[in-house]
Amino acid sequence: MKEYWNCMFAGILVCLALFITRHSEALTVKPFIYHQDFENGIDPMKFVSARGKYTLNFQGITDEQAFSGKKSFKIDIILDAGGSYTLAIPLDDIPVVDNLKFSGMIRVAEAPPRSPVVLGLDFRYWPCLMETSGTRDFPWNTKYDDWVKISADIPYRAHGQASKFHYFPELFWAVEPENTGIYVARIFLTLFTRATGDITRRFIVYVDDLKIEGEVPDKDEFKKDTEQRWKQVSEKTEKKILEWEGAIKEAEAQISKLTNLSPEAEKLK
């Protein structure tokens, strides 16, 4: 029984704990840069999901357009009404502390009306490890046949995502932001359409010069530090579980004393 309640309530608390981490003063950081310019000709984009039927005319590296260098990533796709299509570049869980920036270039040569193209980040919030969309800065609802820069302060974006879940701990018991750890899990590209009517919902999109740069801590140190901070939550969780188990045992004892019950009451007992 104890193991069941441990899993049950600890699992609930984990999913409530989607908050940005503030790293310990003891953590040291070092310069970091991730740069994807597609110049090696290898397509790093992986299929994630799609809704509805689609026709994929082209997906991969091209030399038709480039913001820098000679190559970029291109997708040419036709979606059905209400359809969507998502790709992502998996990252090796980049730990987030105070100083980390994202930027990327995107060019939407063709898109139907009311049909966003979204370039952004997905975060993992340890220990929940739940992916959630981050950056959403592209001007929606229109094609824009020129390069547009998408940029974001990563800690700020991650905090914004976490704050959407802020009301959950207020219903239970508080989990402080510094109890969790946050990672950048992937760069994503999503296309989806709200356009109606008998039209061709074709997208032609180019992406180039993706960067994540700033400062990151050592992964092992970051993990140990986060585990230590999460220990406070674990201890509070265990204490609450023990209180609930005590209440259950007391209720069981009270129920067991009930005698001379009617058939209906006996069933309830």
Side-chain angles (χ1 to χ4, degrees), residues 41-137:
I42 300 173
D43 182 5
M45 290 282 193
K46 307 298 182 184
F47 174 81
V48 175
S49 64
R51 182 177 65 234
K53 294 181 180 179
Y54 59 87
T55 301
L56 188 59
N57 300 319
F58 180 85
Q59 177 181 306
I61 309 303
T62 182
D63 56 7
E64 295 175 358
Q65 299 279 351
F67 176 76
S68 63
K70 297 181 179 180
K71 293 180 171 62
S72 67
F73 173 82
K74 175 187 177 182
I75 181 168
D76 180 345
I77 190 171
I78 299 173
L79 300 180
D80 275 6
S84 68
Y85 191 82
T86 297
L87 297 166
I89 300 176
L91 301 173
D92 189 23
D93 280 345
I94 303 167
V96 177
V97 284
D98 294 332
N99 178 24
L100 206 58
K101 309 290 184 184
F102 169 72
S103 64
M105 304 304 299
I106 187 168
R107 184 170 189 163
V108 180
E110 185 169 337
R114 298 181 298 283
S115 301
V117 178
V118 184
L119 176 63
L121 303 175
D122 276 340
F123 305 115
R124 293 188 198 273
Y125 296 87
W126 188 92
C128 197
L129 298 182
M130 181 178 177
E131 292 179 357
T132 177
S133 296
T135 308
R136 294 180 178 269
D137 277 349

Side-chain angles (χ1 to χ4, degrees), residues 21-234:
T21 181
R22 294 198 298 264
H23 68 84
S24 165
E25 292 296 327
L27 283 177
T28 56
V29 296
K30 56 186 178 182
F32 174 85
I33 183 165
Y34 167 89
H35 186 201
Q36 178 57 256
D37 59 8
F38 307 100
E39 292 299 307
N40 62 9
I42 300 173
D43 182 5
M45 290 282 193
K46 307 298 182 184
F47 174 81
V48 175
S49 64
R51 182 177 65 234
K53 294 181 180 179
Y54 59 87
T55 301
L56 188 59
N57 300 319
F58 180 85
Q59 177 181 306
I61 309 303
T62 182
D63 56 7
E64 295 175 358
Q65 299 279 351
F67 176 76
S68 63
K70 297 181 179 180
K71 293 180 171 62
S72 67
F73 173 82
K74 175 187 177 182
I75 181 168
D76 180 345
I77 190 171
I78 299 173
L79 300 180
D80 275 6
S84 68
Y85 191 82
T86 297
L87 297 166
I89 300 176
L91 301 173
D92 189 23
D93 280 345
I94 303 167
V96 177
V97 284
D98 294 332
N99 178 24
L100 206 58
K101 309 290 184 184
F102 169 72
S103 64
M105 304 304 299
I106 187 168
R107 184 170 189 163
V108 180
E110 185 169 337
R114 298 181 298 283
S115 301
V117 178
V118 184
L119 176 63
L121 303 175
D122 276 340
F123 305 115
R124 293 188 198 273
Y125 296 87
W126 188 92
C128 197
L129 298 182
M130 181 178 177
E131 292 179 357
T132 177
S133 296
T135 308
R136 294 180 178 269
D137 277 349
F138 186 74
W140 287 10
N141 303 334
T142 181
K143 69 178 184 178
Y144 193 78
D145 194 13
D146 198 359
W147 288 102
V148 173
K149 185 175 184 178
I150 308 299
S151 61
D153 180 299
I154 291 176
Y156 177 78
R157 286 285 181 175
H159 186 274
Q161 290 295 315
S163 65
K164 293 181 180 179
F165 301 93
H166 178 65
Y167 62 92
F168 284 112
E170 293 176 354
L171 298 178
F172 297 88
W173 59 89
V175 177
E176 298 298 327
E178 60 266 24
N179 294 135
T180 62
I182 190 167
Y183 298 85
V184 183
R186 60 185 182 173
I187 301 171
F188 73 87
L189 178 68
T190 295
L191 306 85
F192 62 97
T193 180
R194 299 189 182 104
T196 58
D198 186 16
I199 63 172
T200 300
R201 299 168 184 82
R202 185 183 184 187
F203 294 81
I204 301 177
V205 179
Y206 301 89
V207 175
D208 199 7
D209 212 19
L210 303 173
K211 291 182 182 179
I212 296 174
E213 52 191 333
E215 296 175 329
V216 300
D218 176 80
K219 274 194 171 183
D220 289 338
E221 287 186 15
F222 183 74
K223 184 173 184 290
K224 290 177 183 177
D225 183 70
T226 308
E227 287 173 346
Q228 183 61 35
R229 289 181 279 110
W230 182 254
K231 186 179 178 181
Q232 302 172 48
V233 178
S234 299

